[in-house]
Amino acid sequence: MCGIVGYLGRERAAPVLLGGLQKLEYRGYDSAGIALMHDGALTLIRRRGRVSELQFAEGFLGNAGIGHTRWATHGAPCERNAHPQRFGKVCLVHNGIIENAARLKEQCLARGETFSSETDSEVVAHLIDGEYAKDGDLLKAVRRAARRLTGSYALAVLAEGTEEIVCARMRSPLVVAVGQEGVFAASDMTAVAAAGRTAYVLEDGDFARMTCGKAELFDASLVPVARAPVPLAAERSSDGKGAYPHFMRKEIAEVPQAVRATLKGARIGGLLAQNKVLCQTKYLHIVACGTAYHSGLCMKAACERIARIPVQVFLASEYRYAEPIVPADTLTVAVSQSGETADTLAAAELAKEKGSFVLGVVNAPHSSLARLADAVLQTRAGTEIAVAATKSFNAQLAALYALAARLAKLRGKGTYPLGAFPALCKETLSACENVAAWVPRFAAARCVFFLGRGADRYAALEGSLKLKEVSYLPGEGYAAGELKHGTLALVDERTPVVAVICDEALADKTMNAVHEVYARGAPVFLVTPFRELCRAREVTASVVIPHCMPVFAPMLSVIPLQLLAYHTALAVGADPDKPRNLAKSVTVE
Ligand code: AGP
């Protein structure tokens, strides 16, 4: 979603800001802009479209500036709604949503002020400008304005007449970093990570004042505070696509190492440290969104089978409104790649309020979720750039399966070694070479169904989400046995069906669904470890994946589905790394 950068220092700001914005491009956006301060005057450059549209400004003068990539919420994606937003002497970039913007705007209009955009963010510029006019103290002005805001915000603010950038954070991530070249602000560590710099993560209610060579942090009452420094290393995973044409393809290839690193991390301390809580756990609640929600469903299948603990999986966006019943000794697991998903954070917060211990399964170690959770089980997928989650899904499965295995062991329900999975993932990748050849049937499809039973159904749900988001083909992940209760009406020869069959005990049942769709003319594609099933006349093409315990099979069966989505995206001319309308990290509700 929206991204923020800020810089003040010895270098010219424009190239620093543009470099930072390029690193934030993966989050998804539809317009971008920068503002530069030079000789006390502000210059704004904004464009609809890519950051590269701003490149002409690289030579512009000014040693302080702010920049933004915008993913439209309030107002269309166009130049006047792009950030920075300016009013009077004040210019700012904003992530988040100001919930009382309409009421505040009415007050500004009543004072005779005019607006040049449809954004909620411009309202904030109006408020700060009004406050700044009172005493010329930007930090105090931002704080006074912030007290009138409800909603979420990460702000970086410049004002004519000062040589400083003021930042504020409320429920939207923001870091400041200090290096030899100057001080930086960003909504995402990725934009400021460089060897030798130290970052400070702002907490909700914090303010920061960046002046030459210095970043001062303040709490909500403007009392100076110290936040724990985070040493930054140069970002390694974002340093390019290597030999791959797209990040999505590279990240699928990185699945084995993501799984290996996550399992190793879970062994060395990640879970052992939580023995007391795990021994007491009687119920498991999982809160997550999108792909992470699907990893939660896979965990339900595994944990209920091997540890015999009841698991409820909640869409985080529904959790708050479901008035969840959280019995004593419920362990709530919040799963998130970014650790910044607004709904997942809100659900985790509510679970804590209800007295549950919250375990964050999170890929970004300094994220809001990592700091909110009582304990963290880190997924070690490395930075994931493509919007479509791939290696992070497998890493979530690794962490969650390790948790299920630990719970089973603590309950005397047996041991479930997972150490073979990195090699099995590698073997699966090698078995997928023919998936690209399936694509013509998918690229021409009207609709695609992914079928499975038990844990296979959850892999099917994830396969369907992947295909939809990167290739824009409508489709559904469906319980194989449920198809004939209505949805079979959609199936014809232009409806390819992918069947996932990894559980021998359920194979015949899912094959019944295969017979049903075949009889309606659908081409059938099979993902299975059972070679004999692939010989059935109903099967158009198949991928034979390695055998593993059926409840853990989504770890392997999802890999051909990720590749299918990738290749189909290419065939329909879509950019698999940047699907339209989507953002990598969904920081608004
Ligand atoms: C899936 O490919 C998407 N990127 C999306 O569904 C994602 O999993 C969801 O938005 C949750 O994100 P999180 O893991 O960062 O919380």
Side-chain angles (χ1 to χ4, degrees), residues 289-292 335-338 341 387-389 396 465-466 469 586:
C289 300
T291 290
V335 187
S336 174
Q337 186 284 125
S338 63
T341 301
V387 167
Q396 284 164 358
L465 176 64
K466 235 38 351 148
E469 68 176 320
V586 183

Side-chain angles (χ1 to χ4, degrees), residues 16 95 258 343 501 532 563 579 588:
V16 177
N95 284 1
D343 286 314
I501 306 182
E532 60 283 7
L563 285 165
V588 294

Side-chain angles (χ1 to χ4, degrees), residues 84-364:
Q85 286 289 319
R86 179 177 186 170
F87 182 73
K89 292 188 166 178
V90 166
C91 173
L92 58 79
V93 289
H94 165 226
N95 284 1
I97 290 186
I98 305 303
E99 287 163 3
N100 57 343
R103 195 161 40 80
L104 294 169
K105 187 171 178 175
E106 272 170 31
Q107 294 165 7
C108 297
L109 290 169
R111 283 199 299 270
E113 294 173 8
T114 54
F115 282 77
S116 55
S117 79
E118 299 147 69
T119 64
D120 54 340
S121 312
E122 189 185 351
V123 177
V124 186
H126 281 244
L127 297 190
I128 297 175
D129 183 70
E131 297 295 340
Y132 182 60
K134 290 178 185 165
D135 54 10
D137 185 327
L138 185 59
L139 177 64
K140 286 184 180 161
V142 172
R143 185 208 173 218
R144 287 195 296 264
R147 291 174 82 168
R148 297 173 61 191
L149 304 176
T150 56
S152 58
Y153 51 82
L155 294 167
V157 188
L158 283 170
E160 280 181 356
T162 62
E163 283 297 320
E164 61 190 15
I165 298 173
V166 171
C167 299
R169 173 200 164 129
M170 182 60 72
R171 286 190 284 279
S172 188
L174 198 62
V175 298
V176 294
V178 184
Q180 294 236 308
E181 331 82 295
V183 279
F184 306 79
S187 50
D188 183 326
M189 289 279 187
T190 317
V192 290
R197 289 183 197 162
T198 304
Y200 302 87
V201 181
L202 271 65
E203 294 189 358
D204 284 344
D206 279 359
F207 297 89
R209 177 165 55 197
M210 295 160 51
T211 46
C212 206
K214 199 162 77 165
E216 301 160 279
L217 301 189
F218 303 89
D219 70 8
S221 312
L222 291 193
V223 176
V225 281
R227 300 288 174 224
V230 181
L232 292 173
E235 273 289 316
R236 286 192 311 141
S237 312
S238 57
D239 60 4
K241 298 170 196 157
Y244 295 94
H246 298 96
F247 281 108
M248 184 178 176
R249 183 65 191 84
K250 176 183 175 233
E251 288 161 3
I252 296 171
E254 287 171 350
V255 163
Q257 73 199 55
V259 171
R260 182 178 296 109
T262 303
L263 289 175
K264 188 173 169 202
R267 263 197 316 273
I268 307 171
L271 283 170
L272 294 179
Q274 302 310 327
N275 264 356
K276 190 165 166 242
V277 174
L278 299 186
C279 283
Q280 285 166 356
T281 297
K282 291 202 184 97
Y283 311 94
L284 213 73
H285 285 181
I286 299 177
V287 292
C289 300
T291 290
Y293 171 73
H294 293 155
S295 73
L297 291 172
C298 295
M299 168 63 167
K300 176 180 168 70
C303 190
E304 290 189 339
R305 181 67 60 88
I306 70 172
R308 304 306 293 159
I309 293 179
V311 181
Q312 263 186 283
V313 191
F314 296 88
L315 285 168
S317 54
E318 293 287 325
Y319 182 77
R320 264 176 303 171
Y321 313 106
E323 297 190 20
I325 300 164
V326 184
D329 298 325
T330 298
L331 170 64
T332 301
V333 183
V335 187
S336 174
Q337 186 284 125
S338 63
E340 301 296 350
T341 301
D343 286 314
T344 307
L345 286 168
E349 234 169 73
L350 179 59
K352 267 182 102 165
E353 272 168 35
K354 286 180 173 280
S356 178
F357 187 93
V358 172
L359 177 68
V361 172
V362 58
N363 201 43

Side-chain angles (χ1 to χ4, degrees), residues 466-483:
K466 235 38 351 148
L467 189 73
K468 276 180 280 206
E469 68 176 320
V470 300
S471 73
Y472 316 143
L473 282 174
E476 275 199 70
Y478 225 73
E482 190 61 18
L483 200 64

